[in-house]
Amino acid sequence: MALEKVVYTAHATATGGREGVAKTDDGKVDVKLDPPKEMGGGGTGTNPEQLFAMGYAACFIGALKFVGSSQKIHVPKDASIDSSVSFGPLANGAKGFGIAVELVVHIPGMEKELAEKLVHEAHEVCPYSNATRGNIDVKLSVA
């Protein structure tokens, strides 16, 4: 999918892979990277799956607000998402590794049926959802 126009571009540099550092060009994010103990690391730093989980959750809330505002439905400021990003070898003999995502959406004060409708529509416009669609398993639910 091509962009109609670029609104913003983030710039970051990672050095050393999973046992290194990553930082943005503006200095606002500067993290030590270290695999979790489950993957043979020390677990003392941040890992790429954690960063992806935070980014996807934040972006998806933005998509919820966008969809809500276009339908004159208020999405409260305390809406939140519990985001899980799992890592492992690909199934069925495929080579390499992959990730799977689970997003549990909390929209306080909103009826579950309406929240589920907004979540479905947000999944259609969220940049992370569009980038991952057909590539990884993404499970959505409303708490």
Side-chain angles (χ1 to χ4, degrees):
M1 253 186 267
L3 298 177
E4 182 178 317
K5 86 175 185 181
V6 174
V7 176
Y8 170 76
T9 300
H11 298 277
T13 302
T15 306
R18 288 182 173 273
E19 296 92 8
V21 296
K23 54 186 158 186
T24 57
D25 66 336
D26 61 7
K28 292 180 181 177
V29 179
D30 188 345
V31 294
K32 176 185 180 289
L33 301 172
D34 187 29
K37 291 181 180 180
E38 297 86 346
M39 293 172 63
T44 59
T46 302
N47 63 67
E49 291 73 30
Q50 291 172 316
L51 296 169
F52 191 85
M54 290 186 292
Y56 201 159
C59 189
F60 202 92
I61 290 172
L64 283 169
K65 290 179 178 182
F66 173 80
V67 169
S69 70
S70 71
Q71 299 177 23
K72 297 185 180 3
I73 299 169
H74 175 70
V75 175
K77 289 184 181 191
D78 60 348
S80 64
I81 295 179
D82 297 326
S83 176
S84 301
V85 174
S86 300
F87 171 94
L90 294 171
N92 302 320
K95 292 182 180 179
F97 300 91
I99 59 173
V101 172
E102 183 174 358
L103 303 178
V104 180
V105 182
H106 304 268
I107 307 177
M110 186 176 289
E111 292 179 16
K112 188 169 185 171
E113 187 175 308
L114 178 58
E116 287 172 342
K117 178 181 179 284
L118 283 180
V119 165
H120 174 74
E121 293 175 15
H123 190 48
E124 295 301 312
V125 301
C126 175
Y128 276 67
S129 294
N130 285 331
T132 60
R133 187 170 289 109
N135 297 312
I136 67 170
D137 185 25
V138 177
K139 294 181 181 167
L140 304 168
S141 62
V142 174

